[in-house]
Amino acid sequence: MKIIKYFFFLALGTLLMAADCSNKDSEFYNDVFATTPGLIALETQSTYSVNDILWINSNNFSRNIQESNQTHPLDVFETTGGAQSFNFSYLLEKKVSADVWTEFPLGNDLIPDKGMAEETELFTTASCIYNPVTAAYEFRYGLKLSQPGEYRLSFGYNSTNANSVELRSDSVGNNLFLNINSLMSGLDGSGYYNFNVSE
């Protein structure tokens, strides 16, 4: 009789787990996706010299974004249950020889203004921080160009898109994680902003 009871509970448990499973990753991870252009921008110059600063900003990242093919704005703060930041990454590389690029470490040349950025061994992680006064996710960091040379900046290191920035909400608890694909102007067909720095 004990064996039958154990078998019954094992079968019931397996049945309940199978009924609750889903093969959709988006349901498992609680992810939703949106597309809106221009949330991250570069403050570019026609020429760069040593000690100039290339700024990356999120001046257009209001909590209410206009999605492609939608008539009403999406309140990303409400959708994510009050996410305090949206994160993205970027990578600065310097050309060392023909067709050979290497990551260019920024160290103290990473200049803060708004938001947060942290350099890792492979790329820089950036956080657009929510400001309730402006009702916007704010980020503005500079890259001080300390050496002459040929450079390229990309936002697709851990992304599937070449000409877009992928932003992900820093949601907590059971709130939705919002992934925004934001088309960025000024990038070439491979997803790079190319520029030269002179003495």
Side-chain angles (χ1 to χ4, degrees):
M1 187 68 173
K2 281 186 178 181
I3 294 175
I4 294 174
K5 286 182 184 178
Y6 287 131
F7 179 74
F8 173 75
F9 285 115
L10 179 64
L12 180 62
T14 304
L15 181 64
L16 290 174
M17 286 190 310
D20 192 42
C21 289
S22 171
N23 62 358
K24 296 180 181 176
D25 285 345
S26 60
E27 287 178 7
F28 180 77
Y29 290 110
N30 217 17
D31 277 11
V32 292
F33 300 86
T35 301
T36 192
L39 297 181
I40 304 297
L42 296 173
E43 298 174 24
T44 61
Q45 300 175 191
S46 56
T47 62
Y48 296 94
S49 299
V50 169
N51 293 325
D52 281 347
I53 298 175
L54 172 60
W55 293 94
I56 303 169
N57 74 55
S58 65
N59 286 344
N60 295 321
F61 196 174
S62 166
R63 71 180 274 174
N64 296 300
I65 63 169
Q66 190 63 49
E67 286 185 276
S68 301
N69 303 318
Q70 299 297 320
T71 54
H72 299 290
L74 172 67
D75 185 336
V76 299
F77 187 79
E78 183 179 307
T79 300
T80 59
Q84 294 300 305
S85 66
F86 272 79
N87 307 308
F88 66 99
S89 62
Y90 58 88
L91 173 66
L92 180 65
E93 296 175 291
K94 184 177 182 183
K95 191 172 190 177
V96 292
S97 62
D99 298 325
V100 178
W101 297 83
T102 185
E103 179 190 359
F104 187 77
L106 292 163
N108 292 331
D109 293 332
L110 193 58
I111 311 298
D113 184 22
K114 296 177 184 176
M116 294 182 358
E118 182 180 355
E119 191 172 25
T120 70
E121 291 181 12
L122 300 174
F123 52 84
T124 301
T125 58
S127 295
C128 305
I129 306 296
Y130 184 67
N131 182 340
V133 175
T134 61
Y137 287 90
E138 298 180 347
F139 178 84
R140 186 173 187 259
Y141 256 71
L143 314 178
K144 185 176 179 183
L145 308 172
S146 59
Q147 296 179 16
E150 189 175 342
Y151 293 87
R152 67 184 186 184
L153 180 65
S154 67
F155 295 85
Y157 178 82
N158 56 355
S159 166
T160 57
N161 296 307
N163 60 352
S164 296
V165 179
E166 290 184 358
L167 299 118
R168 181 173 170 83
S169 67
D170 191 16
S171 302
V172 294
N174 292 326
N175 292 301
L176 293 174
F177 285 92
L178 178 59
N179 300 277
I180 304 174
N181 182 32
S182 184
L183 185 67
M184 184 176 192
S185 62
L187 303 181
D188 67 16
S190 298
Y192 295 105
Y193 172 65
N194 297 282
F195 61 98
N196 293 310
V197 178
S198 59
E199 286 283 7

